[in-house]
Amino acid sequence: MADEVRAAQRPGPAVGASVLRPDAEGKVRGEARYADDLTFAGMLHAKVIRSARSHAQVVSLDLSAVEAHPEVACVATPHDISGENIVPVIYRDMPLLAADVVRYVGEPIALLAADTREAAESAAGKARIEYADLPAVFDPREAARPRSPQVALPVGAETGNVFNHMVIRTGDVGQGFAEAAVIVEGEYEVGYQEHAYLEPQGVIAVPEDGGMTVYGTLQCPFYVQNAVANVLGLPMAKVRIVQTATGGGFGGKEDVPSHLAAMAAVLAWKARRPVKLVLDRAEDIATTSKRHPGFIRYRTGAKRDGTLTAAEVEFYYNAGAYQTLSSAVLWRGLVHAPGPYRIPHVKVDAYSVATNTVPCGAFRGFGSPQVIFAHESQMDELAQRLGMDPFALREKNALREGDATATGQVLAESVGLGACIEKARDLCRWTDRQREVAQFNKRERFKRRGLGVSTVMYGVGMGAKAPILEKAGAYLKLEADGSVTLAVGTTEMGQGATTVLSQIAAEGLGLPVGLVQVAPVDSSRVPDSGPTVASRTTTIQGMAVLDAAKKLRTKIEDAVRNMFACPEFTVEGRLFCIPGEPRKVDLSEVARWMWTHNRDMGTTGWVEGSPVDWDAATGQGNAYFVYAYACHVALVEVDLLTGETHVAGFWAGHDSGRIVNPATARGQVAGGIAQGIGYALTEELASRDGRILAPSFTAYHIPTAPDMPEELEIAFVEAPYSGGPFGAKGLGEVPLMASHAAVANAVSAAAGTRLRVYPAIPERVLDLMAASA
């Protein structure tokens, strides 16, 4: 390549977007909108050369034609990795680039960087790879068998292809089923769910100052920092991660950005030039993480009066070729498998299994929606067998304050499940609605309606699986003009964190929220506050912000006392009322005084989650420091001629403690309901032999505005949590967890037979109708 390179050109951003460009010193100033909007002088565009086979030995890799392309600046193979060819997540089993064996279609083998994105695409097609196919396995139950083809690397697996086997053992299920008057058994199956975030995965790696800076759309900057440092063999202090605007993550931008950032960084390190790697939508869907497909067997027993006596669960999650986050996903599924109910005898066996498929990872709900589909279906089956109302059965067995969960955790406070059930029943006018549905079904010849209920609990935060991540820091600085800068390590990705954390800071300071500005997330300038996952931001990050705010408030008040030599004064927003002073003193005057008198105008806050504990041998312990709860009701209408299902009405009652911002909270719930509707009804991602068949939104149908219910009501019952800011606890993941199960139960009610496979696409619904005829 010539020494002089032209600046990369691309169309200008959309109206309202801003572009980062380097200044004369090569530094980037300003605030990015999206990673794909960033442009650097001399920037190269990366392309990943991926496996076309699900399981094969790489016999030869010929990149000579790629390197000969006139616009290709460099290529990279495992030999070009200066650090370790491993992307660390929980386990260290996943290579950045496959060296000898590929284990799924789409696994990265080599990288290239070219002057333009078009040139990179063209050059990648010139790679010549010779494979020797190996036996492959795609079903987790088959892969778990002793003589199945070996997929998992020993460093990531407990035995064979079983990444993890986890258990809960409570009481004696044999005794529990002996005490049962009614026993219901069911098998349930769920497929992939695609995250469908607004912008696809994208990063830019910029070599500078003997290190590497990465800009990207991501959830967890410190995960990315660790991965890039590991792959480049650099100290973490030499790796800087800057989050650009992120239009949704839903878990899909928790671990995957580490892989992309490390690939872009390897190329940038070799070329000594900025490198952009942005996946197109098809590549994103085909090769990045999904919700784990699962197979669940469930057996539930109850006495004649509806009292639950026992639950026995066995489930298998298809983890894909590498661990990524599967052990954490499985653990949450394990803890949530019994549901939000008092059950004296519980046995759960949970397996995450390696297969020759794309690795799965985090997704909103994190392993719990799959088992919730099963346990809420079981509750409706039990209600039908017992002749009980579905609400009555749930209310009878719902966990309340002082009860113990299936893991033996006594719920000492903030248990609003009973109130959620009552609120949801009132919102939907349950008895009247049942009568209306019956009249509709009697009247209509080609349509049928059904009502469904679900109740859920959700462990807030990382829990006993990862207590070392349950921490957060915050930095607050009073500026010389009286405004306030807040810096945190958790990220905004559309969930409203910036607004809520600003409110918490303002409330803690006793100031108007408009004075608080949240700084962009940059790993070199903000504290590691753990990952932005598990509905933990408001609770954990919020407490760190509140801690910092109280300390800064003390500094401000001390300054006022020193300014006016008065021990007492009153405060009205940003105004201080000083005895004997004819006017009120504005905060800006106090801030200026502090600045001119060389006062420390910054504070740090820090918090750790409440203690948790866990016995892996029995599945007993305090799994989470607190739980959130919800009860949802769905009304569906099924077209008997086409099998199409529409959610006509939806009612949701939530307990997430004190709601800091009702508007953003309602938005979270409505968005979760939409995702749940998609999971239950439309979002089918077909695959064959480990290959995603149609990776596009033409074939993969996410809900749009017309798919939302005409009648939608959301209400909050606030059971305050003493360990959260102003009594708040997590919300973000709960709405999806509850919504899909309510829709599934409504479909089953309309069909007159049980839905056991997700999603309920028209063909499956017609089969259900035919089976009940």
Side-chain angles (χ1 to χ4, degrees), residues 250-262:
F250 312 115
K253 293 182 179 177
E254 179 175 351
D255 59 315
V256 174
S258 294
H259 212 125
L260 261 74

Side-chain angles (χ1 to χ4, degrees), residues 234-554:
L234 292 174
M236 289 179 70
K238 286 284 190 179
V239 176
R240 176 174 163 242
I241 310 300
V242 181
Q243 185 213 17
T244 59
T246 301
F250 312 115
K253 293 182 179 177
E254 179 175 351
D255 59 315
V256 174
S258 294
H259 212 125
L260 261 74
M263 288 192 287
V266 166
L267 287 167
W269 194 253
K270 183 175 181 180
R272 306 310 301 168
R273 292 166 62 180
V275 172
K276 175 186 284 189
L277 174 56
V278 177
L279 305 186
D280 64 26
R281 186 64 69 175
E283 185 178 12
D284 195 309
I285 293 175
T287 66
T288 67
S289 68
K290 313 275 177 280
R291 190 184 298 286
H292 292 65
F295 179 84
I296 306 104
R297 294 191 187 96
Y298 215 111
R299 189 173 180 230
T300 315
K303 295 179 180 179
R304 183 60 61 188
D305 67 354
T307 302
L308 296 176
T309 61
E312 184 173 13
V313 191
E314 180 183 58
F315 64 93
Y316 293 81
Y317 283 174
N318 185 346
Y322 299 103
Q323 268 271 14
T324 68
L325 293 162
S326 288
S327 67
V329 168
L330 186 75
W331 186 78
R332 188 173 284 273
L334 173 83
V335 174
H336 291 77
Y341 306 114
R342 290 185 306 276
I343 312 176
H345 306 287
V346 177
K347 178 184 178 184
V348 184
D349 286 273
Y351 301 86
S352 60
V353 186
T355 64
N356 293 114
T357 59
V358 61
C360 291
F363 199 126
R364 194 176 190 176
F366 210 73
S368 65
Q370 297 93 317
V371 293
I372 289 170
F373 171 38
H375 73 58
E376 288 306 284
S377 296
Q378 291 285 114
M379 290 298 284
D380 266 24
E381 291 266 280
L382 270 177
Q384 186 177 16
R385 290 276 300 276
L386 291 165
M388 288 185 69
D389 179 86
F391 260 112
L393 180 63
R394 288 170 169 83
E395 191 168 38
K396 183 177 186 65
N397 293 282
L399 288 166
R400 301 182 186 278
E401 200 167 296
D403 286 342
T405 68
T407 72
Q409 180 173 359
V410 177
L411 302 174
E413 64 166 323
S414 188
V415 185
L417 180 58
C420 287
I421 293 172
E422 183 178 351
K423 177 62 71 174
R425 183 171 50 205
D426 291 346
L427 284 174
C428 74
R429 300 181 296 108
W430 177 251
T431 302
D432 293 342
R433 196 75 61 176
Q434 284 180 305
R435 183 170 55 253
E436 292 168 6
V437 167
Q439 292 170 350
F440 178 93
N441 291 341
K442 186 176 181 180
R443 181 177 70 248
E444 295 291 333
R445 182 179 176 187
F446 298 115
K447 293 181 180 179
R448 188 166 298 158
R449 288 186 169 182
L451 282 166
V453 185
S454 70
T455 48
V456 301
M457 66 188 294
Y458 179 79
V460 177
M462 307 304 293
K465 176 64 177 172
I468 60 171
L469 297 176
E470 205 66 280
K471 57 195 172 189
Y475 176 68
L476 269 176
K477 181 177 68 166
L478 179 65
E479 304 292 353
D481 64 354
S483 60
V484 177
T485 297
L486 169 62
V488 296
T490 49
T491 58
E492 172 64 67
M493 48 190 166
Q495 81 275 38
T498 296
T499 300
V500 167
L501 295 177
S502 297
Q503 285 184 261
I504 292 171
E507 187 73 16
L509 289 166
L511 299 174
V513 70
L515 291 178
V516 181
Q517 175 68 36
V518 180
V521 176
D522 178 333
S523 64
S524 68
R525 291 167 171 79
V526 297
D528 183 348
S529 297
T532 311
V533 299
S535 302
R536 63 186 293 276
T537 301
T538 298
T539 313
I540 298 296
Q541 184 67 79
M543 285 300 287
V545 171
L546 189 57
D547 182 43
K550 289 177 178 178
K551 294 174 182 176
L552 183 56
R553 183 70 186 180
T554 297

Side-chain angles (χ1 to χ4, degrees), residues 56-62 99-102 128-133:
Q57 189 86 28
V58 179
V59 176
S60 67
L61 173 63
D62 181 1
D100 302 309
V101 175
V102 291
R128 295 293 175 261
I129 307 171
E130 183 182 349
Y131 302 97
D133 286 326

Side-chain angles (χ1 to χ4, degrees), residues 428-753:
C428 74
R429 300 181 296 108
W430 177 251
T431 302
D432 293 342
R433 196 75 61 176
Q434 284 180 305
R435 183 170 55 253
E436 292 168 6
V437 167
Q439 292 170 350
F440 178 93
N441 291 341
K442 186 176 181 180
R443 181 177 70 248
E444 295 291 333
R445 182 179 176 187
F446 298 115
K447 293 181 180 179
R448 188 166 298 158
R449 288 186 169 182
L451 282 166
V453 185
S454 70
T455 48
V456 301
M457 66 188 294
Y458 179 79
V460 177
M462 307 304 293
K465 176 64 177 172
I468 60 171
L469 297 176
E470 205 66 280
K471 57 195 172 189
Y475 176 68
L476 269 176
K477 181 177 68 166
L478 179 65
E479 304 292 353
D481 64 354
S483 60
V484 177
T485 297
L486 169 62
V488 296
T490 49
T491 58
E492 172 64 67
M493 48 190 166
Q495 81 275 38
T498 296
T499 300
V500 167
L501 295 177
S502 297
Q503 285 184 261
I504 292 171
E507 187 73 16
L509 289 166
L511 299 174
V513 70
L515 291 178
V516 181
Q517 175 68 36
V518 180
V521 176
D522 178 333
S523 64
S524 68
R525 291 167 171 79
V526 297
D528 183 348
S529 297
T532 311
V533 299
S535 302
R536 63 186 293 276
T537 301
T538 298
T539 313
I540 298 296
Q541 184 67 79
M543 285 300 287
V545 171
L546 189 57
D547 182 43
K550 289 177 178 178
K551 294 174 182 176
L552 183 56
R553 183 70 186 180
T554 297
K555 289 186 176 184
I556 294 170
E557 291 179 350
D558 285 345
V560 173
R561 293 187 183 96
N562 278 274
M563 285 175 69
F564 297 97
C566 66
E568 301 294 334
F569 53 87
T570 58
V571 183
E572 298 175 3
R574 59 179 294 158
L575 300 175
F576 297 86
C577 305
I578 312 298
E581 285 288 324
R583 63 181 183 85
K584 297 176 181 178
V585 179
D586 189 82
L587 175 64
S588 61
E589 296 179 55
V590 180
R592 189 67 184 174
W593 183 92
M594 293 175 71
W595 187 84
T596 57
H597 286 76
N598 297 333
R599 294 297 182 96
D600 181 3
M601 300 173 71
T603 60
T604 59
W606 186 257
V607 71
E608 296 179 63
S610 300
V612 290
D613 58 83
W614 188 254
D615 178 4
T618 62
Q620 296 296 293
N622 296 309
Y624 295 95
F625 55 77
V626 75
Y627 296 84
Y629 304 88
C631 180
H632 284 194
V633 182
L635 169 66
V636 304
E637 184 172 297
V638 177
D639 187 314
L640 301 181
L641 299 178
T642 66
E644 292 176 289
T645 302
H646 176 65
V647 180
F650 208 98
W651 302 268
H654 278 261
D655 165 34
S656 285
R658 175 79 178 275
I659 299 301
V660 176
N661 188 300
T664 58
R666 289 177 188 279
Q668 282 276 40
V669 175
I673 289 169
Q675 274 189 314
I677 289 171
Y679 189 38
L681 297 182
T682 65
E683 297 185 33
E684 183 164 53
L685 194 61
S687 65
R688 183 183 302 122
D689 297 336
R691 187 185 303 274
I692 304 297
L693 297 179
S696 75
F697 289 148
T698 302
Y700 185 78
H701 302 142
I702 60 174
T704 59
D707 298 305
M708 289 297 284
E710 289 79 12
E711 189 174 353
L712 173 62
E713 292 188 62
I714 297 164
F716 298 99
V717 298
E718 298 181 319
Y721 168 51
S722 62
F726 310 109
K729 54 186 182 181
L731 171 65
E733 301 187 68
V734 187
L736 183 147
M737 294 164 53
S739 59
H740 70 90
V743 172
N745 280 339
V747 170
S748 295
T753 189

